[in-house]
CSV table of all heavy atoms in Angstrom, one decimal:
chain,number,residue,atom,x,y,z
A,250,GLU,N,17.9,-1.1,61.1
A,250,GLU,CA,19.1,-0.4,61.5
A,250,GLU,C,18.9,0.6,62.6
A,250,GLU,O,19.7,0.8,63.4
A,250,GLU,CB,19.7,0.2,60.3
A,250,GLU,CG,20.4,-0.8,59.3
A,250,GLU,CD,21.0,-0.1,58.1
A,250,GLU,OE1,21.4,1.1,58.2
A,250,GLU,OE2,21.3,-0.8,57.1
A,251,GLN,N,17.7,1.3,62.5
A,251,GLN,CA,17.4,2.3,63.5
A,251,GLN,C,16.5,1.8,64.6
A,251,GLN,O,16.2,2.5,65.6
A,251,GLN,CB,16.6,3.5,62.8
A,251,GLN,CG,17.4,4.2,61.7
A,251,GLN,CD,18.6,4.9,62.2
A,251,GLN,OE1,18.5,5.6,63.2
A,251,GLN,NE2,19.7,4.8,61.5
A,252,SER,N,16.1,0.5,64.5
A,252,SER,CA,15.3,-0.1,65.5
A,252,SER,C,13.9,0.6,65.7
A,252,SER,O,13.5,0.9,66.8
A,252,SER,CB,16.0,-0.3,66.8
A,252,SER,OG,15.3,-1.1,67.7
A,253,VAL,N,13.3,1.0,64.6
A,253,VAL,CA,12.1,1.8,64.6
A,253,VAL,C,11.0,1.1,63.8
A,253,VAL,O,11.2,0.6,62.7
A,253,VAL,CB,12.4,3.2,63.9
A,253,VAL,CG1,11.1,4.0,63.8
A,253,VAL,CG2,13.4,3.9,64.7
A,254,LEU,N,9.8,1.1,64.4
A,254,LEU,CA,8.6,0.7,63.7
A,254,LEU,C,8.1,2.0,63.0
A,254,LEU,O,7.9,3.0,63.6
A,254,LEU,CB,7.5,0.3,64.7
A,254,LEU,CG,6.1,0.0,64.1
A,254,LEU,CD1,6.2,-1.2,63.1
A,254,LEU,CD2,5.1,-0.3,65.2
A,255,LEU,N,8.0,1.9,61.7
A,255,LEU,CA,7.5,3.0,60.9
A,255,LEU,C,6.1,2.7,60.4
A,255,LEU,O,5.8,1.7,59.8
A,255,LEU,CB,8.4,3.2,59.6
A,255,LEU,CG,9.8,3.7,59.9
A,255,LEU,CD1,10.7,3.6,58.7
A,255,LEU,CD2,9.8,5.1,60.5
A,256,ILE,N,5.2,3.7,60.6
A,256,ILE,CA,3.8,3.6,60.1
A,256,ILE,C,3.6,4.8,59.2
A,256,ILE,O,3.6,5.9,59.6
A,256,ILE,CB,2.8,3.6,61.2
A,256,ILE,CG1,3.1,2.5,62.2
A,256,ILE,CG2,1.4,3.5,60.7
A,256,ILE,CD1,2.2,2.4,63.4
A,257,GLU,N,3.5,4.5,57.9
A,257,GLU,CA,3.4,5.6,56.9
A,257,GLU,C,2.1,5.4,56.1
A,257,GLU,O,1.7,4.3,55.9
A,257,GLU,CB,4.5,5.4,55.8
A,257,GLU,CG,5.9,5.3,56.4
A,257,GLU,CD,6.9,5.1,55.3
A,257,GLU,OE1,6.6,4.4,54.3
A,257,GLU,OE2,8.0,5.6,55.4
A,258,GLY,N,1.5,6.5,55.7
A,258,GLY,CA,0.3,6.4,54.9
A,258,GLY,C,-0.4,7.7,54.7
A,258,GLY,O,-0.1,8.7,55.2
A,259,ASP,N,-1.5,7.6,53.9
A,259,ASP,CA,-2.4,8.7,53.7
A,259,ASP,C,-3.2,9.0,54.9
A,259,ASP,O,-3.4,8.1,55.8
A,259,ASP,CB,-3.2,8.5,52.4
A,259,ASP,CG,-4.1,7.3,52.5
A,259,ASP,OD1,-4.5,6.8,53.6
A,259,ASP,OD2,-4.4,6.8,51.4
A,260,GLN,N,-3.8,10.2,54.9
A,260,GLN,CA,-4.5,10.6,56.1
A,260,GLN,C,-5.8,9.7,56.4
A,260,GLN,O,-6.0,9.4,57.6
A,260,GLN,CB,-5.0,12.1,56.0
A,260,GLN,CG,-5.4,12.7,57.3
A,260,GLN,CD,-4.4,12.6,58.4
A,260,GLN,OE1,-3.2,13.0,58.2
A,260,GLN,NE2,-4.7,12.0,59.5
A,261,LEU,N,-6.4,9.3,55.4
A,261,LEU,CA,-7.6,8.5,55.6
A,261,LEU,C,-7.2,7.1,56.2
A,261,LEU,O,-7.9,6.7,57.2
A,261,LEU,CB,-8.3,8.2,54.2
A,261,LEU,CG,-9.7,7.5,54.3
A,261,LEU,CD1,-10.7,8.4,55.0
A,261,LEU,CD2,-10.1,7.3,52.8
A,262,GLY,N,-6.2,6.5,55.7
A,262,GLY,CA,-5.7,5.2,56.3
A,262,GLY,C,-5.2,5.4,57.7
A,262,GLY,O,-5.4,4.6,58.6
A,263,LEU,N,-4.4,6.4,57.9
A,263,LEU,CA,-3.8,6.6,59.3
A,263,LEU,C,-4.9,6.9,60.3
A,263,LEU,O,-4.8,6.4,61.4
A,263,LEU,CB,-2.8,7.8,59.3
A,263,LEU,CG,-1.5,7.6,58.5
A,263,LEU,CD1,-0.7,8.9,58.4
A,263,LEU,CD2,-0.7,6.5,59.1
A,264,THR,N,-5.9,7.6,59.9
A,264,THR,CA,-7.1,7.9,60.8
A,264,THR,C,-7.8,6.6,61.1
A,264,THR,O,-8.2,6.3,62.2
A,264,THR,CB,-8.0,8.9,60.2
A,264,THR,OG1,-7.3,10.1,60.0
A,264,THR,CG2,-9.2,9.1,61.1
A,265,ALA,N,-8.0,5.7,60.1
A,265,ALA,CA,-8.7,4.4,60.3
A,265,ALA,C,-7.9,3.6,61.3
A,265,ALA,O,-8.5,3.0,62.2
A,265,ALA,CB,-8.9,3.7,59.0
A,266,LEU,N,-6.6,3.5,61.1
A,266,LEU,CA,-5.7,2.7,62.0
A,266,LEU,C,-5.8,3.4,63.4
A,266,LEU,O,-5.9,2.6,64.4
A,266,LEU,CB,-4.3,2.6,61.5
A,266,LEU,CG,-3.3,1.9,62.4
A,266,LEU,CD1,-3.8,0.5,62.7
A,266,LEU,CD2,-1.9,1.9,61.7
A,267,GLY,N,-5.7,4.7,63.5
A,267,GLY,CA,-5.9,5.4,64.8
A,267,GLY,C,-7.2,5.0,65.5
A,267,GLY,O,-7.2,4.8,66.7
A,268,ASP,N,-8.3,5.0,64.8
A,268,ASP,CA,-9.6,4.6,65.3
A,268,ASP,C,-9.5,3.2,65.9
A,268,ASP,O,-10.1,2.9,67.0
A,268,ASP,CB,-10.7,4.7,64.3
A,268,ASP,CG,-11.0,6.2,64.0
A,268,ASP,OD1,-10.6,7.1,64.7
A,268,ASP,OD2,-11.6,6.4,62.9
A,269,GLU,N,-8.8,2.3,65.2
A,269,GLU,CA,-8.7,0.9,65.6
A,269,GLU,C,-7.9,0.8,66.9
A,269,GLU,O,-8.3,0.1,67.8
A,269,GLU,CB,-8.1,0.0,64.5
A,269,GLU,CG,-8.3,-1.4,64.7
A,269,GLU,CD,-8.3,-2.3,63.5
A,269,GLU,OE1,-8.2,-1.7,62.4
A,269,GLU,OE2,-8.4,-3.5,63.6
A,270,LEU,N,-6.8,1.6,67.0
A,270,LEU,CA,-6.0,1.5,68.2
A,270,LEU,C,-6.8,2.1,69.4
A,270,LEU,O,-6.7,1.6,70.5
A,270,LEU,CB,-4.7,2.3,68.0
A,270,LEU,CG,-3.7,1.6,67.1
A,270,LEU,CD1,-2.4,2.5,67.0
A,270,LEU,CD2,-3.3,0.3,67.6
A,271,ARG,N,-7.6,3.2,69.1
A,271,ARG,CA,-8.4,3.7,70.2
A,271,ARG,C,-9.4,2.7,70.7
A,271,ARG,O,-9.6,2.6,71.9
A,271,ARG,CB,-9.2,4.9,69.7
A,271,ARG,CG,-8.5,6.2,70.1
A,271,ARG,CD,-9.4,7.4,69.9
A,271,ARG,NE,-8.5,8.4,69.4
A,271,ARG,CZ,-8.8,9.3,68.5
A,271,ARG,NH1,-10.0,9.3,68.0
A,271,ARG,NH2,-7.9,10.2,68.1
A,272,SER,N,-10.0,1.9,69.8
A,272,SER,CA,-11.0,0.9,70.3
A,272,SER,C,-10.3,-0.2,71.1
A,272,SER,O,-10.8,-0.7,72.0
A,272,SER,CB,-11.7,0.3,69.1
A,272,SER,OG,-11.0,-0.6,68.4
A,273,ILE,N,-9.0,-0.5,70.7
A,273,ILE,CA,-8.3,-1.5,71.5
A,273,ILE,C,-7.9,-0.9,72.9
A,273,ILE,O,-8.0,-1.6,73.9
A,273,ILE,CB,-7.0,-1.9,70.8
A,273,ILE,CG1,-7.4,-2.6,69.5
A,273,ILE,CG2,-6.1,-2.8,71.7
A,273,ILE,CD1,-6.2,-2.8,68.5
C-alpha cells in the first residue's frame, strides 16, 4: 500500500546484512 521495502530486525542481523551490502 505504501510501496515501501521494509527491512526490520535486531542490531546483529541488520549489521550482518549491512556488511553484505557493503561487500556487494
Side-chain angles (χ1 to χ4, degrees):
E250 288 183 20
Q251 300 293 317
S252 189
V253 175
L254 174 65
L255 294 170
I256 304 175
E257 311 175 322
D259 59 23
Q260 194 57 53
L261 189 64
L263 291 173
T264 298
L266 179 56
D268 290 345
E269 195 155 356
L270 288 181
R271 263 194 218 142
S272 75
I273 296 167

